[in-house]
Every structure is written in C-alpha cells, then in structure tokens.
Amino acid sequence: MQTYQQLIDGEWTGAAGGKTFQTFNPADTREAVAEYPKADAQDARAALEAAARAFPGWAAQTPVARGRILSRASQILESRKDELARLLTREEGKTLAESAGEVQRAIDIFRFFGGLSYVHGGQTIPHDLAHVFLYTTREPLGVAALITPWNFPIAIPAWKLAPALLAGNTVVLKPASPAPAMAFEIAKALQEAGLPPGVLNVITGPGGPIGAELTAHPAVRALSFTGSHQVGQQLYQQLAPRMVRAQMEMGGKNPTIVLEDADLDLAATLCARAGFGLTGQACTATSRAIVVRPALEPFLEKLVERARAVRVGNGLQEGVTMGPAINESQLQTDLDYVRIAQEEGARLVYGGHRLIDDELEHGWFVEPTIFADVTPSMRIAQEEVFGPVIAVIAVDSFDEAIEVANGIQFGLSASIVTRDLKRAMLYAERIQAGVVKINQVSTGLALQAPFGGVKGSSTDSFREQGAAAVDFYSRIKTVYLDYSA
Ligand code: NAP
C-alpha cells in the first residue's frame, strides 16, 4: 500500500487533525491501494493561504516560463506512464488499456498547454483614431480552486490544472476521495519540473467541509468543478453571494440516435463502446439508444452480441474489456436502476446482475445491461445511472428521435449513426448538447477542442479543454495608448 501526504506550500504533510483514510481496489476490495490524509477546513485554509502567498510571484513569470514547467511535467509523466496506468487501474478499476489511454491524455494535455504558452496573450484592435494603439492583455484571476471526480482521476485534474497554471493562477486541488492517487502523481511531476512552492496545493478529504472552505474563502477567485449535478448546483449557490467565477461541468444522459439507413454493425459497436466502455462511468457515456423502428430488432440483436462479447473482470488482466463499478454504492445504484426500470415496464434484454463467480466475488462487478421497450418518461430514460446500462427507445421518425433526445434535463454529448448527410447536419443544428458526434462514439474527445455541456450538464459559462480553456482562468484587460500628441 502506498502512503501519500498532502501538498501545502511545497511541503508534504499529514492532515492537521492527524486523520487518514484509505482506498481499496474495486476489483478486489481485500487490497488497500493507498492511504491519504483526511483534510478538513483547517487544511483547506492553509492550502488557500499558501496559494494566495505564491500568487504574485507566479503571476509575474512570463507565460513561456510557466509553459516550460508544464512541458517538463509532461515528459516526467511520460517516463512513468506504465507505472501510473497500473496504479490508476488498481484504484479506479478501469482496464489497463483505458488507464494507459487516460495517462497519455494527461501527458498530451500538459504538452499542449506548454506549447500554447508561446501564444498566450491578448490581441491588437484597430482604433478609430490614428496613433492610438489599442490592445488587450490576459491576466490571471488569483487562486483557483479545482474539485474533480473519480472517474477520470488523471485527465480531469490535468485539463483543469494545465490552463489554470499557464494563465498564471495558483491552485488548490481537491480530487475525489475514491481515487486521489493520480492528483498527487501530477503534483509530484510538477514539483520535479520546477513548480515553485505554494503554486499548486493538493488536499484530500470529504468534499462537504473542504468545499465549504473553498467556496467561502476570500482568496478564491475562481472555482472549477466536475462531478454530479447535485453537488455542482450546491457549489454554484455557495459561490453566488461572492460573485466568484464558477465553472460546473456535470452529468449527462447521452443519446445515440440510430436511423434506418445506418450501418447497424457500426451503430451497435459505437453504442456498446460508449455504453459499456469505462464500465459506463463516463459523463459522455451512451445511456440511451434511440432507434428508428425499422432498425430496431436487427440493432438490438447486434447490441446483445456486443454485450455478450464483453469480458468483465480485473482490469489488470489481459483480455478483460470491462472493469468493476468504483464502489459498493455505485454498484448498488446500477442494480437499483435495473429494478426501477423493470418496475416501470422496461424489458431486460441482457445482463442486469451483479457478477460474483470465482475471483469476481471480492469486487464490485456488474454485467453490461440492455433494456428495450423503454419509454421516454421512464426514470431509466431520464436519470444518469453512471453504470454500463443502455436503455433502447424506439421511435417512428427522425423528428421524434430528436424530440426524445432533447427531452431530458441534461445536454452533454450526443451521437447519431446515419449515412444521410442532410439529416446528420440537421441533427447537429437541432440537438441540445455541447458535443455532437456523427458516426462516432459519444465518449472520447479531442484534447485540442473545446468541451462542455448545456442545460443541466453545465453552468454553460466557459468551455474546458482546447485553447478555449484559458478563458475561464484569465481576464481580459483593455489598454488604450495614445501617441498622437
Ligand atoms: P460527486 O459526488 O459530485 O463528486 C465530485 C467531487 O466533488 C469530489 O471531489 C467530491 O469529493 C466533491 N464533493 C462532494 N460533495 C461536495 C460538497 N458538498 N462540496 C464540495 N465538494 C463536494 O461526483 P463523482 O461521483 O465524483 O463523479 C461522477 C459525476 O461526475 C457524474 O455525474 C458524472 O457525469 C460527472 N462527470 C462529469 C464530467 C463532465 O465533464 N461533464 C466528467 C466526468 C464526470 P468526495 O469524493 O470527497 O465526496
């Protein structure tokens, strides 16, 4: 078992109250993975004060100097890629291939923002009068608080941290309690890369008391959160009285529409990958397949074939294609929704059970699950499960498919499978989602492109990822220089 300390002001220390907590391998809960300090409001305050002290020095460095540290951290993470991927799988449960992909994503994100540092700045704007130089600069905001979920424990901290640091902010990061190791591994890499003390502080512990301090402390000028709608909404309300810049990226109930002209093998493969991959624990997972009736039966048959081919098990084992749920509570949520869907009249076509055979009995394993005869108002069609459960909804037309797809509180990612270019383009125009995929999985994003949701999936204030990500972490100052006199 590894032991981590929290990082405050460049020092690795225990929690002020001396308490600790452990994480356990979700594939085999007999294995404790790591121990962490259990921070409280006092630790959060110390971390925020350290970040506030470090801010003027960090903000005074040039973007290129800051970017060099990000690029160096990318190289350090790359040199540890295999070791980090194994640790990620042991703590979060996803397969080794999925973990390796995620670690690579974090490496690439730091490289991307390291490179972006060379063009980080404002613009020049022609003035109405001669001999007036009108330009903008970008300034950092101050201390940024980052609160991240467990399901992408290295990619999400990376995609918030890199633009926050590039823009010149100092940071307090609070990763999710079920999988904090990767946040500390990023911190180690940044420290080794030369990040000055206090610029990044990482604390672990329960979200409630730490979140209360992060939202109330006057040093915090921006808070970026990724997680559930319920917590995001609460944090947004806590921040409102101080009018602090806020970015809340939350859940989804993502559709994949299958039209009658679609390549149904492709449609089934895309839905299975986006619905069962990462054990369905992705905010962009496909959890609704909305299928136009002529395609329904052949599509269902093919989707069941794909579900049957999923090999559930410990993600470290070769050949395993789907790991466990993160913990008992998520497993219970998955099984609760299986029961609720059946009670509401949906037809269980495949899966729906916990797996406990042989070596699976010590983990939180669930079968990939498919429901048919789902109607749009059922809870299984409306609420985020965050497990490998696909609800198949039959519709009569393209227009009805879009109406059903839009008839939910969320709007994160949305996919369509069709060969009809016109309807694909109309879909892109009419679907209420931050990300639209045509003949692609609803999961999976290009790190160089903006990402975020609409409706209940996001505060829809600023986008994450890509060059647009720095907008949240910087403010624009406008300068008029008159040299006419
Ligand atoms: P969560 O329960 O909302 O937790 C997210 C983070 O918030 C964790 O660090 C958690 O800490 C902290 N937290 C919990 N209660 C808090 C409070 N009262 N005040 C401040 N912070 C608090 O979500 P999760 O279970 O980790 O992640 C799954 C959710 O994230 C899903 O809904 C998924 O769709 C969403 N997600 C969205 C995106 C996106 O980009 N839109 C990406 C990935 C995931 P503790 O762990 O210590 O409780």
Side-chain angles (χ1 to χ4, degrees):
M1 184 179 73
Q2 274 168 263
T3 302
Y4 287 94
Q5 303 280 45
Q6 58 188 4
L7 179 62
I8 298 180
D9 212 4
E11 301 290 330
W12 296 93
T13 63
K19 292 190 182 153
T20 58
F21 69 98
Q22 293 179 347
T23 55
F24 296 88
N25 185 341
D28 184 345
T29 55
R30 293 169 300 179
E31 183 196 352
V33 177
E35 185 171 276
Y36 302 92
K38 191 171 179 179
D40 57 21
Q42 200 183 331
D43 300 281
R45 233 175 351 262
L48 289 167
E49 282 160 13
R53 281 194 301 275
F55 175 66
W58 183 242
Q61 292 205 20
T62 64
V64 172
R66 296 193 293 256
R68 276 198 196 106
I69 295 177
L70 301 183
S71 302
R72 233 177 278 139
S74 167
Q75 288 163 358
I76 294 166
L77 289 170
E78 189 150 40
S79 70
R80 297 184 189 149
K81 185 180 167 187
D82 295 344
E83 169 205 335
L84 294 181
R86 289 187 75 78
L87 178 57
L88 199 166
T89 290
R90 282 175 53 229
E91 193 166 64
E92 199 271 354
K94 62 184 65 173
T95 66
L96 198 51
E98 288 168 342
S99 292
E102 192 186 332
V103 174
Q104 186 61 49
R105 175 55 58 110
I107 292 164
D108 293 342
I109 286 169
F110 280 105
R111 197 173 57 220
F112 175 81
F113 285 100
L116 200 66
S117 68
Y118 285 96
V119 292
H120 179 74
Q123 57 176 157
T124 58
I125 303 160
H127 194 270
D128 326 42
L129 303 173
H131 308 306
V132 178
F133 181 36
L134 176 55
Y135 68 99
T136 63
T137 58
R138 273 184 190 273
E139 292 184 341
L141 304 175
V143 176
L146 310 179
I147 302 179
T148 54
W150 49 264
N151 68 321
F152 288 108
I154 191 161
I156 295 181
W159 85 46
K160 291 185 192 296
L161 260 175
L165 294 175
L166 164 62
N169 304 278
T170 54
V171 171
V172 174
L173 167 64
K174 195 219 96 62
S177 300
M182 291 299 118
F184 286 116
E185 294 298 334
I186 292 179
K188 281 199 235 166
L190 281 163
Q191 201 179 39
E192 221 176 298
L195 196 73
V199 172
L200 169 62
N201 306 274
V202 187
I203 51 173
T204 42
I210 296 176
E213 190 62 33
L214 296 184
T215 49
H217 198 286
V220 174
R221 298 315 312 159
L223 189 145
S224 178
F225 164 86
T226 298
S228 63
H229 181 82
Q230 192 193 4
V231 175
Q233 193 176 39
Q234 185 189 325
L235 286 169
Y236 202 45
Q237 286 167 2
Q238 283 170 231
L239 289 166
R242 294 202 303 116
M243 294 192 276
V244 167
R245 194 177 280 199
Q247 177 180 55
M248 311 284 149
E249 294 301 327
M250 300 169 284
K253 186 74 194 170
N254 312 291
T256 291
I257 290 182
V258 181
L259 294 185
E260 62 273 27
D261 70 318
D263 172 342
L264 294 184
D265 282 308
L266 175 69
T269 299
L270 296 178
C271 284
R273 267 180 54 206
F276 306 142
L278 300 154
T279 322
Q281 299 174 144
C283 53
T284 50
T286 288
S287 57
R288 296 180 297 156
I290 301 171
V291 187
V292 175
R293 256 178 239 283
L296 183 65
E297 284 312 318
F299 167 78
L300 253 181
E301 216 171 279
K302 289 173 192 296
L303 188 61
V304 169
E305 266 172 39
R306 308 296 188 278
R308 225 173 251 130
V310 171
R311 221 184 114 206
V312 181
N314 185 327
L316 288 180
Q317 277 168 19
E318 206 156 312
V320 164
T321 54
M322 190 177 104
I326 179 74
N327 52 28
E328 187 174 13
S329 140
Q330 182 58 54
L331 173 74
Q332 197 48 53
T333 302
D334 298 350
L335 298 175
D336 284 348
Y337 273 102
V338 169
R339 179 181 48 75
I340 292 165
Q342 284 174 302
E343 282 168 6
E344 288 193 328
R347 177 164 55 95
L348 182 62
V349 176
Y350 189 85
H353 304 98
R354 181 178 179 182
L355 290 166
I356 46 168
D357 288 348
D358 305 324
E359 75 271 30
L360 301 188
E361 70 169 308
H362 298 290
W364 310 121
F365 294 100
V366 64
E367 290 176 302
T369 298
I370 302 168
F371 278 103
D373 301 344
V374 174
T375 59
S377 62
M378 287 180 184
R379 288 182 64 190
I380 196 72
Q382 289 287 331
E383 298 170 16
E384 184 181 49
V385 178
F386 221 52
V389 182
I390 299 178
V392 179
I393 304 171
V395 290
D396 287 315
S397 65
F398 171 63
D399 287 337
E400 188 188 350
I402 294 187
E403 196 184 313
V404 169
N406 285 338
I408 49 158
Q409 63 152 328
F410 298 109
L412 192 50
S413 177
S415 178
I416 190 166
V417 192
T418 180
R419 295 180 173 107
D420 182 337
L421 183 62
K422 181 175 175 185
R423 289 195 295 178
M425 292 305 289
L426 288 174
Y427 177 70
E429 283 173 17
R430 287 163 58 188
I431 190 71
Q432 296 163 356
V435 174
V436 182
K437 299 285 198 81
I438 297 158
N439 296 323
Q440 276 203 349
V441 272
S442 65
T443 47
L445 303 161
L447 67 93
Q448 64 275 30
F451 171 56
V454 300
K455 303 203 295 191
S457 295
S458 170
T459 40
D460 206 356
S461 39
F462 292 86
R463 288 297 183 233
E464 300 204 274
Q465 304 203 52
V470 295
D471 291 345
F472 176 72
Y473 297 101
S474 56
R475 74 169 73 86
I476 289 172
K477 180 179 268 178
T478 310
V479 183
Y480 295 72
L481 193 163
D482 193 324
Y483 56 100
S484 60

